[in-house]
Amino acid sequence: MLIAYLVAQGVDLPVHPTPLSEIHVERRMRDEVIGPFVPIAVLISGYRAVLSSQQGDVCNFSPSCSEYGYNAINKYGVTGLLMTFDRLERCHSHAWRYRNIYYYEQTDERGKVKLHDPPEPDTVSDL
Amino acid sequence: MNIIGFVLFFFPGALVADPNFYTNSAKVLSFAENLEAEGDWYRAITEYKRYVHLEGEPQDDIHYRISRLYTKLKRFGNALDALLVIENKENGRYCYSVGQVYFLAGDYTNAKAYWRSDTLLGWIHLREGNYQQASQLLNITHYPKQKKSWLGGTLSALIPGSGRVYAGRAADGISAFALTLGTGLSSYYCFKQERYAPAYLFALLCAGFYLGDIYGSVISVRQYNEIQEEKYVSEIEITLGLRRQLW
């Protein structure tokens, strides 16, 4: 009904409208990040869109460092920023030594085995 | 003849099924016990409840069994509900069972109200991390190995990465040291060459890695302590055979 009304009014409708789910995700990402952390969130989003997508899935952890950083900063602010740097320092090939001690293995949606390390401060992840 | 064939083909159970099976309480109880032994706990609970309904009298022992199965299924609220209907509450078994449900649910405050023996109270203190009181009640002579989180942070503030090495995570420590040093040196050389934009960027990254390392060292030491405590509690529980006292 609404579409028919808009067409009758001469409004140009997009041929391939953006799915509602995508609009929701974009809005949510923009709304969640607060004040001084917006530039960092934009940098992380840019990294994810431009570099990370070309580099492939190379992170040892699940969620990946960029996703971890984005969520940690959203959730914990300054502490989240420290958590992100801490995570970057922990993300190396020898991190697998701490499997079943500090992290447990998790298979992601692509079937790759990762070390589970959610953005929660001060906890050993549900071992 | 055709009718008999039809019945036998579609309802072969009619030949062997006992029409009184679901009204015979002894058979229902036996069936419930079999289900429990097989590990089909939800159905076992249903059959135990059916048994109680058929008997029509208070069945304290069966309610204990139902509570035990709900506890195994981690449905602690249902387990407590099953214990509430028990008639004879003035005995040790009732107090022990209620305390056990609270204990397994992690509600140690309520568990203390029901558990009276020194060993069990000591066990609660052990789980709560009150090692001093636990050692008095359980006659334990040693404590878990603990490291100081502030020392980890201080070490990292002095030499990046050393706090993580102190926490037993040398690989993380080396990584933190390399990242802090790398970004710091990059910043220094950029400043020296008067390339201020990358110099400030590397300085920011260096500061981030430095502070992140201090934070990470404190967290690493805390995690180390947490794991040591878990190991210690587990070791004590096995040594003293405490877990055998549970359902």
Side-chain angles (χ1 to χ4, degrees):
Chain A
M1 283 290 282
L2 177 69
I3 291 170
Y5 173 76
L6 290 172
V7 170
Q9 293 295 316
V11 176
D12 286 329
L13 292 172
V15 181
H16 297 293
T18 312
L20 278 175
S21 57
E22 283 183 28
I23 293 171
H24 174 68
V25 167
E26 280 175 21
R27 277 189 186 155
R28 200 183 60 198
M29 285 175 79
R30 199 169 55 234
D31 291 343
E32 277 180 359
V33 183
I34 44 166
F37 302 110
V38 172
I40 298 167
V42 169
L43 272 176
I44 294 175
S45 300
Y47 165 79
R48 284 173 66 79
V50 179
L51 292 176
S52 179
S53 57
Q54 300 303 310
Q55 193 183 14
D57 187 11
V58 292
C59 188
N60 291 305
F61 291 99
S62 168
S64 67
C65 290
S66 55
E67 195 181 342
Y68 177 99
Y70 190 91
N71 291 330
I73 290 165
N74 271 349
K75 211 169 170 185
Y76 302 107
V78 178
T79 311
L81 197 59
L82 293 177
M83 286 164 64
T84 306
F85 278 106
D86 166 46
R87 171 64 171 276
L88 290 171
E89 288 169 345
R90 286 185 286 119
C91 188
H92 48 78
S93 54
H94 292 280
W96 290 88
R97 285 183 183 186
Y98 309 124
R99 175 182 52 185
N100 297 333
I101 304 170
Y102 295 104
Y103 320 110
Y104 66 86
E105 285 180 344
Q106 191 183 49
T107 308
D108 67 8
E109 63 273 9
R110 292 174 195 161
K112 276 191 96 173
V113 180
K114 301 273 186 179
L115 297 170
H116 183 62
D117 180 40
E120 301 293 334
D122 201 12
T123 51
V124 180
S125 56
D126 300 333
L127 282 171
Chain B
M1 189 64 188
N2 284 342
I3 292 168
I4 294 169
F6 175 83
V7 169
L8 287 178
F9 185 78
F10 285 103
F11 305 104
L15 285 176
V16 290
D18 178 1
N20 297 322
F21 180 83
Y22 285 109
T23 54
N24 185 334
S25 60
K27 284 187 177 177
V28 168
L29 182 62
S30 166
F31 183 49
E33 283 168 346
N34 275 331
L35 288 171
E36 187 185 341
E38 285 175 7
D40 194 351
W41 294 333
Y42 277 112
R43 289 182 67 202
I45 290 168
T46 307
E47 295 305 326
Y48 279 132
K49 285 180 178 173
R50 192 194 305 277
Y51 173 76
V52 172
H53 178 74
L54 289 173
E55 284 291 298
E57 294 169 8
Q59 298 288 330
D60 283 0
D61 185 54
I62 302 300
H63 288 300
Y64 279 119
R65 290 189 199 186
I66 292 170
S67 177
R68 184 183 64 212
L69 292 179
Y70 272 130
T71 307
K72 282 182 177 177
L73 291 163
K74 298 194 185 308
R75 291 180 60 169
F76 301 110
N78 294 110
L80 287 172
D81 288 343
L83 291 172
L84 276 177
V85 295
I86 283 171
E87 288 228 319
N88 182 12
K89 293 178 181 168
E90 301 301 318
N91 59 18
R93 188 183 180 188
Y94 175 77
C95 287
Y96 177 76
S97 301
V98 177
Q100 181 169 245
V101 174
Y102 279 123
F103 179 80
L104 290 171
D107 183 350
Y108 300 127
T109 312
N110 277 318
K112 271 183 208 166
Y114 287 91
W115 276 3
R116 306 285 156 77
S117 86
D118 283 353
T119 310
L120 295 174
L121 287 173
W123 194 6
I124 291 173
H125 285 304
L126 191 69
R127 284 280 181 100
E128 284 181 326
N130 302 327
Y131 302 120
Q132 192 89 35
Q133 287 164 299
S135 64
Q136 286 167 3
L137 293 166
L138 297 173
N139 294 324
I140 307 166
T141 50
H142 64 291
Y143 296 106
K145 292 174 198 163
Q146 298 274 291
K147 290 184 177 177
K148 295 172 182 68
S149 55
W150 63 265
L151 184 57
T154 311
L155 282 172
S156 269
L158 295 172
I159 305 168
S162 57
R164 292 179 197 262
V165 176
Y166 170 69
R169 294 165 75 162
D172 286 354
I174 293 165
S175 167
F177 180 76
L179 283 167
T180 314
L181 188 73
T183 48
L185 283 177
S186 302
S187 173
Y188 172 74
Y189 284 113
C190 286
F191 270 118
K192 218 174 171 184
Q193 293 167 7
E194 297 183 351
R195 292 162 58 205
Y196 293 111
Y200 282 118
L201 181 68
F202 280 122
L204 267 176
L205 284 174
C206 180
F209 282 125
Y210 178 74
L211 294 173
D213 178 47
I214 295 171
Y215 171 82
S217 297
V218 172
I219 299 299
S220 297
V221 175
R222 282 190 195 163
Q223 289 181 341
Y224 172 86
N225 288 342
E226 204 178 308
I227 287 168
Q228 289 304 317
E229 281 180 22
E230 277 174 21
K231 274 186 189 170
Y232 170 79
V233 170
S234 177
E235 184 193 308
I236 298 288
E237 284 177 359
I238 291 167
T239 311
L240 298 179
L242 294 171
R243 288 181 191 173
R244 276 180 303 199
Q245 298 191 34
L246 291 178
W247 278 334

